[in-house]
Amino acid sequence: MPSNKLMVEAIEKGTVIDHIHAGAGIKILRWLQLLNDHDRITVGLNLPSKHHGYKDLIKVENRILTDQEASELAIFAPEATVNRIEDYKVKDKFAVSLPKRVTGVFLCPNSNCITRTEKVATLFKLENNKKGLRMKCHYCEKHFNREVMSKVAF
Ligand SMILES: [Zn+2]
């Protein structure tokens, strides 16, 4: 896709998150707190995609997504690919992969969970089954849909 390639190459340094399923782009912008800094961000919503019909794309200048952020990204956009750009070149390109567990990132939605009162890092195990992606709290052992998850305030 030449037009797509152009978008990737147009930045000197940063990250291009591609192949996000249409509709998830805005959520990812918020989740990764991409709007909190003053980096230039280009967002494409409902772009035509060969494989999924439509896709969202996010291009952030001067910010290289960490591996931790890439695995958080996988929870909300399992089909996404991450391109790390340096010196106008794609230095690193990979498909995100779903982590088996996530520590210290998500707040447990259960207000009776011990992690809400004790100072312990939350731990969620990810389970992908017929019901879709579910996150199981290690402490209260309740299952949650990813849509109800929020981030621990640091
Ligand atoms: Zn819990």
Side-chain angles (χ1 to χ4, degrees):
M1 223 182 287
S3 58
N4 205 357
K5 198 162 176 256
L6 245 178
M7 289 182 83
V8 171
E9 285 175 353
I11 60 175
E12 183 184 349
K13 182 180 173 226
T15 306
V16 176
I17 307 169
D18 198 1
H19 302 111
I20 302 163
H21 61 269
I26 300 293
K27 170 111 191 165
I28 287 160
L29 278 177
R30 291 210 189 99
W31 185 266
L32 296 177
Q33 298 175 350
L34 297 174
L35 301 172
N36 295 7
D37 300 322
H38 295 282
D39 302 319
R40 194 189 303 176
I41 299 171
T42 311
V43 181
L45 302 177
N46 294 324
L47 303 176
S49 161
K50 263 186 210 160
H51 306 292
H52 307 290
Y54 294 96
K55 66 174 183 180
D56 292 348
L57 179 143
I58 300 170
K59 187 173 76 168
V60 194
E61 287 184 48
N62 298 316
R63 172 151 165 185
I64 303 292
L65 219 62
T66 64
D67 291 342
Q68 169 68 38
E69 288 171 324
S71 62
E72 289 175 34
L73 172 67
I75 295 167
F76 297 103
E79 333 63 9
T81 54
V82 172
N83 300 267
R84 292 177 177 139
I85 316 290
E86 272 178 40
D87 294 328
Y88 297 99
K89 291 192 193 86
V90 178
K91 196 187 163 223
D92 195 11
K93 178 177 181 168
F94 57 94
V96 295
S97 57
L98 207 58
K100 287 196 170 57
R101 51 181 61 208
V102 185
T103 310
V105 174
F106 295 96
L107 189 69
C108 184
N110 172 12
S111 57
N112 295 320
C113 182
I114 189 166
T115 60
R116 299 290 286 264
T117 48
E118 303 284 318
K119 279 210 174 288
V120 286
T122 62
L123 170 61
F124 287 90
K125 288 180 188 159
L126 275 70
E127 297 169 0
N128 217 347
N129 57 31
K130 276 177 234 146
K131 289 180 184 167
L133 183 68
R134 310 272 285 167
M135 305 186 61
K136 185 184 177 191
C137 176
H138 173 72
Y139 294 96
C140 66
E141 301 196 313
K142 290 197 186 311
H143 289 80
F144 303 99
N145 187 297
R146 65 185 165 190
E147 304 305 331
V148 303
M149 303 305 289
S150 59
K151 226 170 190 168
V152 170
F154 290 105

